Amino acid sequence: MTRRTIRQYSLREVSDELLHRLLTEASRTQTMGNLQLYSVVITRAYDKKLQLAPAHFNQPMVTQAPVVLTICADFNRTSTWARCRKAEPGYDNFLSFINAATDALLYTQTLCNLMDEEGLGYCYLGTTVYQPQQIIDILELPRLVMPVATLTVGWPAEEPPLSDRLPLESFIHEETYTDYLAADIDNYYTAKEQLDENRHFVAINKKETLAQVFTDIRYTRKDNEAMSEGLLQVLRKQGFLE
């Protein structure tokens, strides 16, 4: 209930000892078949952060954070293990990508929880899957390895307010899914829409509603379709789609 996204970091070092301990502890999270279908690329070098920044729309925390972690869905390691042990892997398909991506995101969330407990700050970058080919090239990711999440990590130099959340009743369904009526939407979203920051968000974008900001500016159909096609192309290139 106190989790915050941290985008500004102090100059205090994040030691390898601490980072490696947390990365080890996070590996106790759930994983399909106990295969641990993920890999983590640790970036500390400033020049490498500069290379990664454009793939994340040059968000400043990419270069300012002491550490950038790129978490990848990885069936390369498991496939290599299989071939080295007289077994023929069959993981060059979309289901295998979904399984590895799920493993990687479970690992990512567990790592975030552990960093919260340690007092570290982090920012989850959803931009990782927007332009994945850039990240693949920079980090030299081989076939059957796909970046799915990025965390910028450091000691917090800010304490931003908690962001709003929808109420519990808006997202739980008892026994079967109950679709939403307009009255339900009014009940669940009005408080969010009336927040000063969201009203300001609507005003500066010259829109009538908060929903229009998301559909017309932030996450448009045109962008979604273009990035979806790019994502499919990269999945083909990385061997997860025919």
Side-chain angles (χ1 to χ4, degrees):
M1 299 303 290
T2 60
R3 194 207 69 80
R4 292 170 167 83
T5 293
I6 301 299
R7 295 179 173 86
Q8 296 181 32
Y9 306 97
S10 74
L11 297 177
R12 180 182 172 189
E13 177 189 3
V14 178
S15 69
D16 281 339
E17 179 183 9
L18 172 60
L19 183 61
H20 290 177
R21 174 169 65 79
L22 296 177
L23 291 168
T24 300
E25 291 173 357
S27 69
R28 299 305 307 171
T29 198
Q30 306 95 316
T31 172
M32 193 196 81
N34 200 26
L35 289 173
Q36 296 179 247
L37 303 171
Y38 49 80
S39 284
V40 182
V41 181
I42 303 170
T43 302
R44 290 183 178 272
Y46 184 71
D47 62 340
K48 190 67 72 173
K49 294 175 193 173
L50 282 176
Q51 292 178 47
L52 287 170
H56 298 291
F57 300 104
N58 291 307
Q59 296 177 86
M61 55 274 194
V62 176
T63 53
Q64 293 172 2
V67 180
V68 176
L69 303 177
T70 305
I71 300 93
C72 303
D74 185 350
F75 246 119
N76 173 62
R77 184 182 65 250
T78 301
S79 296
T80 300
W81 169 61
R83 287 190 291 270
C84 288
R85 296 295 182 266
K86 301 179 181 180
E88 185 57 37
Y91 307 122
D92 52 348
N93 45 67
F94 186 61
L95 177 63
S96 296
F97 168 70
I98 292 296
N99 288 332
T102 300
D103 257 27
L105 293 173
L106 284 168
Y107 180 87
T108 301
Q109 182 59 66
T110 301
L111 179 61
C112 287
N113 293 342
L114 291 166
M115 291 193 295
D116 277 326
E117 292 179 1
E118 203 68 36
L120 281 167
Y122 59 86
C123 181
Y124 178 96
L125 302 183
T127 47
T128 307
V129 294
Y130 288 1
Q131 301 179 81
Q133 189 61 57
Q134 293 184 46
I135 298 172
I136 290 168
D137 293 342
I138 293 164
L139 301 182
E140 302 178 15
L141 303 182
R143 190 172 182 273
L144 297 185
V145 180
M146 184 75 179
V148 295
T150 299
L151 299 173
T152 60
V153 181
W155 299 102
E158 63 171 345
E159 189 174 353
L162 295 176
S163 53
D164 65 279
R165 291 293 187 267
L166 294 172
L168 175 67
E169 58 268 25
S170 72
F171 58 83
I172 63 168
H173 302 262
E174 300 289 352
E175 309 302 342
T176 59
Y177 189 102
T178 303
D179 209 351
Y180 299 94
L181 302 174
D184 298 320
I185 297 301
D186 289 343
N187 186 31
Y188 300 147
Y189 282 85
T190 296
K192 180 187 191 76
E193 292 165 338
Q194 293 302 314
L195 291 172
D196 289 342
E197 58 264 36
N198 286 335
R199 290 165 65 91
H200 178 67
F201 200 27
V202 172
I204 62 174
N205 284 287
K206 300 179 180 179
K207 291 295 177 180
E208 183 181 354
T209 69
L210 182 62
Q212 289 174 351
V213 177
F214 283 86
T215 60
D216 299 352
I217 298 176
R218 294 197 69 185
Y219 307 110
T220 68
R221 175 182 293 277
K222 179 181 177 181
D223 288 344
N224 289 337
E225 291 177 347
M227 287 187 286
S228 292
E229 182 56 37
L231 181 59
L232 290 171
Q233 289 177 6
V234 173
L235 285 172
R236 291 186 189 97
K237 186 175 180 180
Q238 291 304 100
F240 285 112
L241 287 176
E242 292 296 332

